[in-house]
Amino acid sequence: MSVLRTEVDGVPTLFAERTDGHVTGGLVFRVGWADENLAVRGLTHVVAHLAMTGLVEDVHRYVDTHATYTQFRAQGTAQSVSHVLSGLCTAFSELPVDGLEPEKELVLAEADGRHRVPRPDALYRYGASSHGLCAYPETGVPAIGPDLVRVWAAEAFTRGNVVLWLSADRLPAGLRLPLPEGPRLPPPAGADSRTPTPAWYRSPDPDLLTVTGVVPRSPASVVFTDVLGAALHREVCEEHALSHAAGAVLTVRDADSAVVTVTADSHPGERAGVTGGFVDVLARLRWGALLDEEVAAAARAAADQVSRAAADHETVSARAVGELLGIPHPEPDEHAAALAAVGPDDVRACAEAFAASSLAGVADRGLGWAGWAAAPLSSPHELDGRTYPGRDGHGTALVVADEGVSVVGPGLRSTVRYADLVLMTSYADGGRHLVGGDGFGVEVEPTLFAIDGAALARIDEAVDLARVVRAPARAAQDLPQPRPAEPDPPAPVPPPAVPHAAPDLTPAASRPGWRDRLPRLGRRSS
Amino acid sequence: MSSPVPPPRFDLAESFPETGEPAARAAQDLPGALALLTARRPRGGAEYGVALDALAAADGLDEPLDRHLAEHPDDTEARVVRAARVVRRAWELRGTEPGAQVGAERFDAFFALLARAEQDLVRVVVAEPADTAAWGLRLSTARGLALGTSEAGRRWRHLRAADAHDVRAQREYLQHLTPKWGGDWGRVDAFVGEVTAAAAPGSAEWALVPYAALTRWYDDHRAEGTSAMRWPEVVTGLDAAEQSFLAAPTPSRYEAVLAHTDFAVALGLAGKRGRSAAHFAQLGPSLAPGTWALGADHRSDLENIRASALAEGRRR
């Protein structure tokens, strides 16, 4: 059974026939959280939620927001699915902004209930923008107003920026998709690593090794991932019993590249052995005894999987995502043949690319001994400006300069330049939390530094208002207090705590720069 | 008038000149020297190890090795030699002081050298997984880099899969299992038991018993004199191991030096002077430097035993 490519109401459509009487369909838009910036982090999710609010309740439908796309799905009868898809398209032109605040509450409640997996790898690779935003909570949600959601819907949820997919006995007759006009958005920028690689950082879970690396998107990368995962499992799980679970997965990032993620847990006391096993396995794929049969078996397995894949709704949905992101999708026979043709030299080339771009989260001794550099824990420079001493008496100081702010102290240097600012959370109690595009942050706290109102005003005047999220005053017991001990080492991230603040009630349009808060998508000069 | 007792000869290449041939040739003909070294396989075998030590200590080979490896990156023999030289230099730099007396700068330089050696060694073991010399050096780098017993165990098991009877590697791994490197004496005892259970009569592996006893005494009890070496369980263990060691000729002349030194020193400290002297007599001028150093403050007494043994040998 094959997938038919067609068009419905001017929208590219992928259709797979099914005969069980069910209908499943979806709309996939080329917009996701990697298109946002930290000051509006969560905007796509809120718009997607809002668009769903007016739809009929008796149809199974849901929405997923990913890094580079957002997918709506519905399942039911042909009529009900058509109704949902049409209704969604209409909603983007007439978003029910009266329901914005409850939807924002829902989005924040979802985030509260979700287990947040720390993603220092994304932060080190991408900083606090594009794909690195997955390291942060949906910081921007509290301050999102009606104007912002309308503009975002008009920018991203358009006819040129969507693919429809359907799995049904036939294409529903008369399906209308009344979307606003607009072009396909380019992929998010900033895919190059901000941290020189290969590099290691201390894993937030010391019993879990996590290594990511970027490889060209190709049949070889599929086989490489399989060979790497199987070899690691054999080394640390089967032969040395150091780990319970170890393997590698491949995630397509865009038309050109994919990310290989290696994970391995460790039995008590065996972390270093797991890390050492990984180093040796990767080295073997680069320089060592890579067996033709080992590669051939992985290639055959991948080819078989492609050949066996049915044209079900999951397949057609995945192809729709691929089409949207510009990822060619060969026919199964062609794809299987390409996988089967992958040889050891192709796998070695992938291993080299993976090693060169790798970021490794490890415990204990790090990976300096194996040639990985330590990822930086401090900003490269501190700024020269007026210094405000810390109240803890341990030599920590805040520097407010014309071009930004630094916090410095023993073993501590973190700088945010205003030109690179991606977020400033502005608390009504005087606190200012600044985050730079590289992920380093400076928390300006009057309770911690002997800073006066004039200095705060200097900061407020210097920052781009489009990057400011306002938050109410914190309770006295929640304000940070000078610590008697040495300061913590500077964290190149610390995803700021979600400012679960009541929304800023100032009408967005009346605040200067509100429109600039939108991410720069590189289209539509306004 | 009796002739003076010969000074200890710690350099095995001096005792067995044929093992120094690759080092002697290296300055003029590095590829030829590497071929001579390869001829002393199996890797990790005692003669190979002594020849490798001599190459590791030879002057003026760093640049020729770098040039050779730039032209022949797949020459694993050259990589082993380069790594052995760097590992040797690293440990010389670190010295034998307790860690607290080694400054941060010296530790940084020590780690950097070991990490450099690792770059060569990992390439060797992934190309030739049965290269016990490279795995043995990786046990040494793992200890210096403080990678811990988990990683050391993984490396040891790889080495064991190629040669379970590599005497020098067994000693290196035993050090990992001691408390000062993150293990405990129970693991040391279990490892010694595992090795001796598979050891043939006459094998130098039996000397792991006195080596372990001396190591424990040196680490935990040397301040109390030699009483811990005379504990009944220690003496019983030494007796049984010595009996098995002496039950057949030792196949390797080079490993025999290690083993006889272990028994000579351990039995000497245990008060078994006659049996200690017999091992010194077997050694002649040769001694293994590592175990000799474990004699610590009691070396003058051991020298007396050695002197009488060698004098007795000359009278015969």
Side-chain angles (χ1 to χ4, degrees):
Chain A
M1 194 184 299
S2 61
V3 175
L4 174 71
R5 197 181 182 291
T6 180
E7 204 174 273
V8 171
D9 199 13
V11 170
T13 301
L14 296 171
F15 174 75
E17 187 182 349
R18 70 197 285 181
T19 55
D20 59 5
H22 293 286
V23 175
T24 309
L27 286 165
V28 194
F29 292 88
R30 219 314 281 139
V31 64
W33 45 255
D35 296 295
E36 301 169 351
N37 62 49
L38 198 49
V40 296
R41 173 84 172 93
L43 176 58
T44 311
H45 191 185
V46 168
V47 171
H49 259 251
L50 204 54
M52 299 269 281
T53 53
L55 302 177
V56 288
E57 291 295 331
D58 60 345
V59 178
H60 181 60
R61 76 278 194 285
Y62 61 93
V63 60
D64 280 330
T65 308
H66 299 262
T68 54
Y69 65 94
T70 296
Q71 170 149 230
F72 299 86
R73 284 172 175 237
Q75 187 172 350
T77 63
Q79 189 183 13
S80 62
V81 169
S82 296
H83 189 70
V84 166
L85 298 178
S86 289
L88 268 172
C89 295
T90 306
F92 289 118
S93 301
E94 304 163 13
L95 280 177
V97 291
D98 291 348
L100 177 60
E101 294 309 322
E103 285 306 317
K104 284 163 56 179
E105 292 300 322
L106 274 177
V107 166
L108 290 173
E110 267 182 26
D112 277 347
R114 202 180 301 139
H115 171 63
R116 278 186 54 75
V117 180
R119 290 292 307 275
D121 61 306
L123 203 56
Y124 278 116
R125 192 177 296 285
Y126 305 110
S129 62
S130 75
H131 291 270
L133 291 177
C134 67
Y136 291 86
E138 293 178 314
T139 330
V141 170
I144 290 171
D147 296 307
L148 207 52
V149 295
R150 283 197 194 102
V151 171
W152 195 232
E155 292 274 334
F157 294 90
T158 65
R159 186 180 306 280
N161 203 36
V162 67
V163 171
L164 167 71
W165 61 268
L166 281 161
S167 173
D169 60 347
R170 60 181 182 277
L171 278 170
L175 175 58
R176 309 298 302 164
L177 300 170
L179 284 162
E181 297 301 323
R184 179 73 48 90
L185 297 182
D192 294 335
S193 181
R194 285 173 174 261
T195 299
T197 54
W200 69 271
Y201 57 90
R202 206 162 292 285
S203 174
D205 177 352
D207 289 324
L208 184 67
L209 169 78
T210 306
V211 189
T212 58
V214 180
V215 294
R217 188 192 62 78
S218 66
S221 65
V222 176
V223 177
F224 162 69
T225 305
D226 193 43
V227 170
L228 175 63
L232 183 63
H233 190 273
R234 205 160 46 241
E235 174 73 12
V236 301
C237 298
E238 296 167 33
E239 293 180 2
H240 294 276
L242 307 169
S243 166
H244 173 69
V249 294
L250 182 76
T251 310
V252 173
R253 187 175 67 178
D254 52 41
D256 302 320
S257 61
V259 176
V260 178
T261 303
V262 171
T263 53
D265 64 5
S266 52
H267 294 320
E270 305 291 7
R271 294 170 189 164
V274 171
T275 304
F278 161 74
V279 168
D280 284 10
V281 164
L282 180 59
R284 184 170 72 80
L285 300 196
R286 296 171 73 189
W287 305 304
L290 182 58
L291 305 176
D292 287 354
E293 180 47 36
E294 187 180 7
V295 174
R300 273 197 308 272
D304 286 351
Q305 198 174 356
V306 166
S307 300
R308 283 200 308 270
D312 59 12
H313 65 276
E314 293 300 340
T315 306
V316 72
S317 152
R319 283 191 57 171
V321 171
E323 168 128 355
L324 193 68
L325 301 180
I327 299 168
H329 198 291
E331 289 304 315
D333 288 353
E334 194 185 328
H335 194 185
L339 286 165
V342 172
D345 287 346
D346 304 313
V347 170
R348 279 192 204 289
C350 277
E352 286 296 337
F354 175 82
S357 62
S358 62
L359 285 169
V362 298
D364 300 330
R365 293 282 296 151
L367 265 183
W369 61 269
W372 271 257
L377 291 172
S378 296
S379 296
H381 307 290
E382 66 185 70
L383 299 174
D384 187 14
R386 182 162 175 193
T387 299
Y388 298 88
R391 298 186 195 276
D392 59 4
H394 290 291
T396 310
L398 174 75
V399 179
V400 179
D402 289 343
E403 65 271 40
V405 289
S406 293
V407 61
V408 294
L412 171 70
R413 182 177 62 225
S414 197
T415 292
V416 177
R417 293 175 186 275
Y418 299 135
D420 189 38
L421 180 81
V422 291
L423 173 68
M424 184 175 88
T425 305
S426 173
Y427 291 96
D429 54 47
R432 302 285 185 270
H433 291 186
L434 296 87
V435 181
D438 58 4
F440 283 96
V442 172
E443 298 190 352
V444 178
E445 292 284 7
T447 50
L448 298 183
F449 299 100
I451 188 170
D452 53 23
L456 284 178
R458 270 184 73 195
I459 296 171
D460 288 346
E461 283 164 18
V463 299
D464 178 356
L465 279 177
R467 301 286 177 258
V468 177
V469 170
R470 297 179 199 285
R474 293 160 291 183
Q477 67 269 21
D478 293 336
L479 293 174
Q481 298 301 323
R483 283 173 298 221
E486 291 296 319
D488 289 334
V493 185
V498 188
H500 279 258
D504 183 352
L505 298 177
T506 314
S510 70
R511 295 204 300 268
W514 70 271
R515 204 171 200 290
D516 292 340
R517 292 182 61 197
L518 285 173
R520 279 130 196 168
L521 291 168
R523 59 169 293 241
R524 276 192 188 178
S525 56
S526 55
Chain B
M1 182 179 148
S2 63
S3 55
V5 175
R9 199 160 63 200
F10 293 119
D11 184 355
L12 283 176
E14 199 180 323
S15 298
F16 306 105
E18 71 279 10
T19 60
E21 288 169 8
R25 188 164 176 175
Q28 286 75 40
D29 175 15
L30 183 60
L34 294 170
L36 277 179
L37 180 66
T38 303
R40 282 163 172 78
R41 292 184 183 218
R43 294 274 179 87
E47 188 188 350
Y48 175 90
V50 178
L52 179 61
D53 285 347
L55 272 167
D59 291 331
L61 292 188
D62 292 332
E63 281 185 27
L65 274 167
D66 289 346
R67 277 200 305 274
H68 178 84
L69 277 165
E71 289 170 22
H72 308 283
D74 295 331
D75 186 339
T76 53
E77 195 75 272
R79 282 197 189 276
V80 170
V81 173
R82 185 164 75 176
R85 294 173 65 80
V86 175
V87 170
R88 178 190 170 93
R89 198 175 309 146
W91 284 103
E92 279 176 354
L93 175 72
R94 189 209 174 281
T96 54
E97 306 99 303
Q101 293 171 23
V102 180
E105 204 171 309
R106 187 141 56 104
F107 258 130
D108 285 348
F110 173 61
F111 292 150
L113 285 170
L114 294 177
R116 207 165 96 198
E118 273 284 313
Q119 299 300 300
D120 275 328
L121 293 170
V122 72
R123 290 189 68 150
V124 175
V125 299
V126 299
E128 294 185 21
D131 192 322
T132 52
W135 281 116
L137 285 165
R138 288 194 94 195
L139 281 172
S140 177
T141 54
R143 189 158 59 86
L145 292 164
L147 298 186
T149 56
S150 171
E151 172 62 359
R154 192 186 68 84
R155 293 179 179 199
W156 162 251
R157 289 188 293 274
H158 275 286
L159 190 154
R160 186 181 60 186
D163 179 6
H165 305 286
D166 185 319
V167 169
R168 294 197 337 168
Q170 288 167 352
R171 286 152 187 265
E172 182 60 54
Y173 184 48
L174 183 143
Q175 286 295 325
H176 278 280
L177 299 177
T178 61
K180 67 174 178 284
W181 294 103
D184 58 68
W185 294 115
R187 293 178 71 176
V188 170
D189 290 344
F191 177 62
V192 172
E194 176 194 322
V195 168
T196 52
S203 165
E205 291 170 276
W206 290 104
L208 205 59
V209 175
Y211 181 73
L214 282 168
T215 301
R216 185 168 189 174
W217 167 79
Y218 185 88
D219 287 355
D220 288 1
H221 302 292
R222 74 177 187 273
E224 306 151 17
T226 56
S227 57
M229 285 301 291
R230 297 162 194 246
W231 289 347
E233 65 271 27
V234 174
V235 172
T236 305
L238 291 174
D239 288 350
E242 188 194 27
Q243 199 176 354
S244 297
F245 174 59
L246 296 175
T250 304
S252 161
R253 294 184 298 155
Y254 320 99
E255 289 177 355
V257 174
L258 289 181
H260 280 299
T261 305
D262 292 335
F263 279 112
V265 173
L267 290 167
L269 297 188
K272 312 288 183 186
R273 300 175 72 87
R275 284 157 56 197
S276 169
H279 290 286
F280 278 124
Q282 285 290 322
L283 283 163
S286 295
L287 274 180
T291 305
W292 183 247
L294 288 177
D297 299 337
H298 303 274
R299 250 172 295 175
S300 62
D301 190 31
L302 293 168
E303 275 164 4
N304 288 336
I305 301 173
R306 176 173 179 269
S308 64
L310 297 187
E312 178 68 22
R314 276 196 301 277
R315 279 196 293 276
R316 282 183 188 155

